[in-house]
Amino acid sequence: MNVTQMTFHASSGGVAPSWVDPLWRDAWFGVAPHLKQDDRVLLPEGHWPSADVAEMRTYRYVIDIGDATVLFLYKARIAGIPHGVLKKIYAT
């Protein structure tokens, strides 16, 4: 991923950009080089750089993991993931 020429994936809802938080930026830069074209990325609502992946989608409260292969989890929203799904995530 070319980090010098980023475009941004904007979510709906007028939420403040996640990109301004240095910890979220660090998380993105840590994961971005490992993303593949067939990945399905699930992110907290906000503005994120675009990536050459199959899908990028955001969550606000309830987190529907669906077929996501990469999850950026906002710890305050962990209660929005059903317990059974958390067990599956833990097992991987």
Side-chain angles (χ1 to χ4, degrees):
M1 178 180 146
N2 183 351
V3 295
T4 60
Q5 296 179 345
M6 289 185 280
T7 58
F8 286 83
H9 170 80
S11 64
S12 60
V15 176
S18 299
W19 191 246
V20 298
D21 184 315
L23 296 176
W24 282 119
R25 269 199 321 258
D26 288 350
W28 178 261
F29 283 131
V31 171
H34 304 284
L35 293 175
K36 299 175 288 203
Q37 287 185 330
D38 61 342
D39 278 326
R40 298 182 176 284
V41 183
L42 184 56
L43 305 146
E45 194 168 42
H47 292 68
W48 293 90
S50 295
D52 186 19
V53 295
E55 179 183 34
M56 286 183 69
R57 58 189 173 94
T58 60
Y59 61 86
R60 190 166 192 179
Y61 298 112
V62 176
I63 303 171
D64 178 14
I65 302 293
D67 59 354
T69 57
V70 178
L71 169 64
F72 284 76
L73 180 59
Y74 176 42
K75 65 184 176 189
R77 298 289 181 248
I78 198 164
I81 302 175
H83 187 69
V85 174
L86 286 173
K87 282 185 171 183
K88 288 180 185 178
I89 292 170
Y90 176 76
T92 58

